[in-house]
Amino acid sequence: MTILKARTLISMLLLGLLFVSCSNDDDEELLGNWIRKSSFDGPARSSATSFVIGSYAYVATGYTGDEYLKDLWAYNSDGDYWEQKANFSGVARSAASGFELDGKGYIGLGYDGTNKLKDFHQYNPDTNTWTQKADFAGTARYSAVGFQVGGKAYFGTGYDNNFLKDFYQYDANSDTWTQVNGFSGNKRRNASVFVIDDKAYLVAGSNNGAYQVDFWMFDPSTDTWTKKRDIDQDKDDDESYNDDYVIVRSNASAFSMNGLGYLACGESSKTIWEYNPATDIWQEKTALEGSGRTDAIGFSINERGFVLLGRSGSSYYDDVWEFKPQEEQNDNDN
């Protein structure tokens, strides 16, 4: 055998070993299992909003592809069933924002098919009634984020013909909005937020068609934003950080449970990633067993995480899925 042929054979063997190694990595089993729950009783929709009070999740508004909605539905997580509640008191809309504060739900902002909105409404679950509150102090907008952290509630980012990065805090006692310290990240809409240990984590979203890769933590006790590691690629030689991250997205669903954050779906994706704040590292988990989707809802109820509704192209969904991050995936339980 000539030296050239020997070198060629060795090269082929090495490439074969590399291919097997990569294949084994690609075929590695991911942890996590999805359980299908009681389907949403209202019309299938995307771009709805939600808030959680006790063991109930409340889902309101959204778009069916033909109609903007203002209905409100409550999910009983203990009994796994839905109940219709009093309609939202504002105009029908999609891409609104919401949060829970002091046992009441709040929804505002959004788009009604013609106008960007800034009205703001409170829901009382004890009386099943809505009350209009002071308009949002920022510009009318849609696709903003809303969250409550450390007993304080916020709206921020979104789109008002310009991509935005401002944040406002709501005081329920005085029914007033106050602009808070500027967000140091990029402007965006369709971002996602989850809350862990009284800190809010803002991730993903888009600006002029470009996915945003910066990732931020907000501490309400100091009113400050801290930059975390970007979600797009390896920035150093730390082998514990995956240089093949495929987390970047917008219109995703987010929730947290047991001290970890989760980012799922977006742009017809069905992947889900788990964030550990102690290490600032993401880990991929078993993808959603339902259809890939965008503009879905994510929320957690008593350390249980759920993803529901959304759309893929012109298909709108009414399915509801609970995620069990520590269980092995099981094809036979749905």
Side-chain angles (χ1 to χ4, degrees), residues 127-286:
T127 59
N128 188 31
T129 56
W130 289 91
T131 303
Q132 185 164 359
K133 311 300 283 186
D135 281 359
F136 175 63
T139 57
R141 66 188 67 189
Y142 61 88
S143 298
V145 296
F147 59 91
Q148 183 262 109
V149 58
K152 300 177 181 180
Y154 302 86
F155 279 163
T157 68
Y159 184 75
D160 68 352
N161 287 331
N162 176 36
F163 293 86
L164 301 165
K165 56 183 285 188
D166 52 345
F167 273 86
Y168 294 79
Q169 181 186 339
Y170 178 69
D171 185 327
N173 293 323
S174 60
D175 188 28
T176 57
W177 291 91
T178 303
Q179 188 167 9
V180 294
N181 284 348
F183 168 55
S184 301
N186 297 332
K187 298 188 293 184
R188 69 196 69 204
R189 69 180 184 185
N190 296 313
S192 300
V193 171
F194 52 80
V195 174
I196 302 173
D197 295 332
D198 286 337
K199 302 209 173 36
Y201 294 81
L202 185 144
V203 63
S206 66
N207 183 330
N208 286 308
Y211 293 137
Q212 300 304 292
V213 302
D214 52 335
F215 177 36
W216 295 83
M217 180 189 76
F218 176 67
D219 186 343
S221 66
T222 58
D223 196 21
T224 56
W225 292 90
T226 301
K227 193 173 189 303
K228 310 302 287 184
R229 190 175 303 192
D230 286 355
I231 62 170
D232 61 337
Q233 61 184 348
D234 194 356
K235 298 296 186 184
D236 53 36
D237 294 326
D238 182 358
E239 293 183 358
S240 66
Y241 182 52
N242 186 345
D243 62 0
D244 293 324
Y245 272 7
V246 192
I247 302 175
V248 289
R249 63 194 68 194
S250 70
N251 305 84
S253 307
F255 56 90
S256 63
M257 53 180 170
N258 300 312
L260 301 170
Y262 296 88
L263 186 70
C265 303
E267 281 72 54
S268 298
S269 169
K270 56 197 300 181
T271 62
I272 181 169
W273 291 78
E274 177 186 85
Y275 177 72
N276 187 334
T279 60
D280 194 21
I281 296 294
W282 294 83
Q283 181 178 8
E284 189 173 9
K285 311 293 281 189
T286 302

Side-chain angles (χ1 to χ4, degrees), residues 51 53 56-60 70-75 83-89 103-105 121-132:
F51 50 82
I53 301 175
Y56 287 81
Y58 295 82
V59 175
K70 58 185 297 180
D71 51 346
L72 173 69
W73 297 82
Y75 175 63
E83 302 173 59
Q84 188 166 12
K85 300 295 185 178
N87 280 355
F88 173 63
S89 53
K104 294 181 173 60
H121 304 254
Q122 178 198 76
Y123 176 72
N124 186 333
D126 295 330
T127 59
N128 188 31
T129 56
W130 289 91
T131 303
Q132 185 164 359

